[in-house]
Amino acid sequence: MGVTGSDDDQAYVADTSTGRVYSFPAQSSGGPGSVRSPVQSGVYGGKVTFSTSKNQRYGLDVPGAGRGKPDDYFNTDRSGNLVAWKSLEAGMSDYIDLKAEGDLEVDSLRYLRDSGFPVPAAPLNGSRKGRSLLLTGGMDGDREMLSVSRVTQKSGNDSSEVLTEVGALGLASYDREDRYVKLIRVHNAICPDNPGPVEKYLNETYAPAVVKWHVSLGETITRQELPDLNFENFQTGNNRMLSSYTREMSRVYNYYKRTYGTDKNTLYLFFIDYPNPDKEGFMFVST
């Protein structure tokens, strides 16, 4: 990533991750506090919509996307509409795609963050009204709004700008957390041979929280190593509020820990062959 200048004083950002060159849009005379809703400014028509970028690293939480989040989880724009949250890694860059609809021209748009961070933009391939926005995360825990506003001129002799919001996005910055998982086959149980799809699913699911999962295969516990396991004792129906492992669970875990070692920052997922389990899986709740 690098910033360059040009003969026309336009600043550019060369993003080596995507090969795109992002430019800084023309600066507006007003800041976020100058932005008005269409009702306030009297300027109507057109809006922008956000969508995930193919280069996006972390999640986009969209209202009504089926995740069961209450309305008060989301911010609202200046017209009272719920807006999505975009997660960012603190101090790092990420991407979001934008499309202008109606009579909007993308060159008339300004991107204003509450923090004052600049928002470089680049054309989207094959989309005359599309832009890729380059967003930089703030400090861990920062929450702010990105307002996308169209610029118009006041009528008459007043040439000052009018900023009318045509879209908004909530930005949430987090320090990245790295999590580790090992998949362990017990005897001849069915267990994924390739951890890649599991890792991909976890990273997609936890992307809004800026969590990076690393999934690997652990050592198989063979029947010769740990014979005479009574898999019926893996049932957990009689456990007190799921506060402890069953005897056979403890036996498997303790053998693995004693033989191969464990790390406190790694989750160990044991696959067993039990035909009629009472649960899909089990993780006791410690007190």
Side-chain angles (χ1 to χ4, degrees):
M1 185 92 56
V3 179
T4 63
S6 66
D7 294 338
D8 58 0
D9 295 327
Q10 174 70 60
Y12 297 90
V13 176
D15 181 22
T16 55
S17 297
T18 63
R20 280 197 177 121
V21 176
Y22 289 77
S23 62
F24 290 89
Q27 295 299 305
S28 173
S29 58
S34 303
V35 177
R36 300 289 180 260
S37 70
V39 171
Q40 293 171 324
S41 69
V43 179
Y44 297 92
K47 66 176 183 178
V48 300
T49 55
F50 296 97
S51 61
T52 56
S53 167
K54 67 177 182 180
N55 304 113
Q56 180 173 303
R57 300 173 61 225
Y58 295 107
L60 182 68
D61 251 351
V62 180
R67 294 183 178 87
K69 294 184 172 67
D71 286 353
D72 59 5
Y73 168 82
F74 297 98
N75 283 340
T76 57
D77 62 16
R78 285 170 171 78
S79 297
N81 303 306
L82 298 177
V83 299
W85 280 110
K86 174 71 183 80
S87 299
L88 302 172
E89 182 179 352
M92 302 299 290
S93 297
D94 207 346
Y95 313 88
I96 190 78
D97 289 348
L98 170 150
K99 182 180 180 182
E101 300 178 355
D103 64 353
L104 282 180
E105 295 295 333
V106 289
D107 290 339
S108 73
L109 300 179
R110 303 293 183 265
Y111 312 110
L112 303 171
R113 290 178 60 166
D114 290 341
S115 63
F117 277 22
V119 182
L124 276 178
N125 293 336
S127 177
R128 184 175 61 86
K129 288 201 167 188
R131 288 290 184 270
S132 171
L133 303 185
L134 184 63
L135 303 171
T136 301
M139 301 289 287
D140 178 41
D142 283 353
R143 304 289 183 271
E144 61 174 304
M145 292 290 288
L146 164 65
S147 176
V148 181
S149 302
R150 71 186 302 177
V151 174
T152 55
Q153 303 295 325
K154 290 185 177 180
S155 58
N157 296 325
D158 190 346
S159 61
S160 58
E161 291 182 342
V162 176
L163 295 173
T164 303
E165 188 171 76
V166 292
L169 185 66
L171 304 179
S173 296
Y174 303 92
D175 283 338
R176 192 182 88 177
E177 294 187 27
D178 287 271
R179 301 289 184 179
Y180 299 86
V181 177
K182 277 198 173 185
L183 311 180
I184 302 162
R185 188 194 313 271
V186 178
H187 293 185
N188 296 320
I190 296 174
C191 174
D193 293 318
N194 178 10
V198 179
E199 183 175 282
K200 181 176 183 291
Y201 177 81
L202 288 173
N203 281 322
E204 290 175 350
T205 302
Y206 286 87
V210 189
V211 176
K212 176 68 174 177
W213 290 88
H214 308 269
V215 182
S216 61
L217 298 179
E219 296 81 356
T220 296
I221 299 178
T222 66
R223 195 179 303 275
Q224 289 73 27
E225 289 179 281
L226 199 61
D228 302 323
L229 280 177
N230 185 350
F231 288 104
E232 290 186 359
N233 287 339
F234 279 82
Q235 293 193 75
T236 59
N238 295 325
N239 281 27
R240 297 179 181 178
M241 297 301 292
L242 305 182
S243 61
S244 63
Y245 290 131
T246 66
R247 178 179 177 276
E248 295 297 85
M249 289 178 184
S250 295
R251 186 180 170 199
V252 168
Y253 175 75
N254 289 334
Y255 174 83
Y256 190 90
K257 181 179 180 179
R258 182 173 63 251
T259 306
Y260 301 107
T262 58
D263 182 89
K264 65 179 181 180
N265 294 319
T266 301
L267 301 175
Y268 296 86
L269 188 59
F270 296 91
F271 289 79
I272 66 170
D273 186 12
Y274 183 66
N276 297 299
D278 61 326
K279 292 180 177 61
E280 294 290 337
F282 180 83
M283 180 182 293
F284 82 91
V285 181
S286 62
T287 57

